[in-house]
Amino acid sequence: MTVREATAGDVAAIATIHVDAWRAAYRGQMPDAYLDSLSVEERAKIWTSALARPAPAKLVVTDPVTAFCFYGPSRDGEDGVAEIFALYVAPAAWRQGAGRLLCERALHDARERECAAVTLWTLKANDAARRFYERLGYAPDGAERSSARLTGFPLHEMRYRKALTSSGTEP
């Protein structure tokens, strides 16, 4: 399995992975009616737009396309900090190394940009994701937020952080 930058030809697969992963991972954490209403076509529009974002934001996929990661500069206003905005793996490919590989790519790019840290937000109730990120060396940094902007019901999230040294390597 390798990682490469996503292309327009990957959008349908990315959108399908996004919907399937949400339905599998968030069942019991979000209303079933909301998860069942997710549309691959609507997600394809989102990912087409993401592909058009200028560097340093990047959308990368595994090859073959079973997972994707979207990352770039922190949206939290922290200079010199990168953020993983989205990381999703097709449920049939869970626990086969794709998520780890994509996180390693995001870390590599953060080091190249001489970032001090990489952050990400995850649902507070998503114990499986939290354990995954903790195994990769991320830790909660105390920041939390709740918003209903995207879903119409509150999502409670917590931020994880992985520090990089000034030389761009992990401490």
Side-chain angles (χ1 to χ4, degrees):
M1 182 178 352
T2 60
V3 175
R4 63 174 172 78
E5 289 196 31
T7 67
D10 298 320
V11 167
I14 291 168
T16 299
I17 291 166
H18 194 175
V19 169
D20 290 349
W22 270 55
R23 287 179 177 158
Y26 300 149
R27 192 77 60 190
Q29 298 176 42
M30 294 181 186
D32 286 349
Y34 177 77
L35 293 171
D36 294 340
S37 75
L38 293 175
S39 159
V40 170
E41 294 76 19
E42 288 301 314
R43 296 295 164 157
K45 291 176 189 173
I46 292 168
W47 294 113
T48 297
S49 175
L51 270 174
R53 286 185 65 175
K58 284 191 182 176
L59 179 58
V60 296
V61 295
T62 55
D63 198 0
V65 182
T66 59
F68 71 92
C69 184
F70 184 46
Y71 58 90
S74 172
R75 297 172 293 182
D76 295 326
E78 294 183 83
D79 289 334
V81 175
E83 179 180 351
I84 295 174
F85 311 130
L87 173 69
Y88 293 103
V89 178
W94 284 357
R95 293 173 187 79
Q96 296 176 22
R100 175 181 295 276
L101 188 63
L102 290 168
C103 283
E104 288 170 1
R105 173 68 175 264
L107 282 171
H108 171 80
D109 286 359
R111 287 184 192 102
E112 294 272 313
R113 294 194 342 261
E114 299 180 356
C115 291
V118 176
T119 63
L120 59 90
W121 289 90
T122 190
L123 290 180
K124 196 171 184 176
N126 192 346
D127 293 334
R130 292 176 58 191
R131 285 190 305 270
F132 169 76
Y133 293 122
E134 289 166 3
R135 281 193 307 271
L136 296 181
Y138 290 82
D141 69 3
E144 295 188 12
R145 67 184 181 192
S146 292
S147 174
R149 181 179 59 85
L150 296 175
T151 59
F153 54 87
L155 294 177
H156 306 290
E157 297 177 291
M158 58 190 300
R159 188 172 63 194
Y160 274 68
R161 177 179 302 266
K162 184 170 185 169
L164 303 175
T165 66
S166 60
S167 64
T169 60
E170 295 172 43

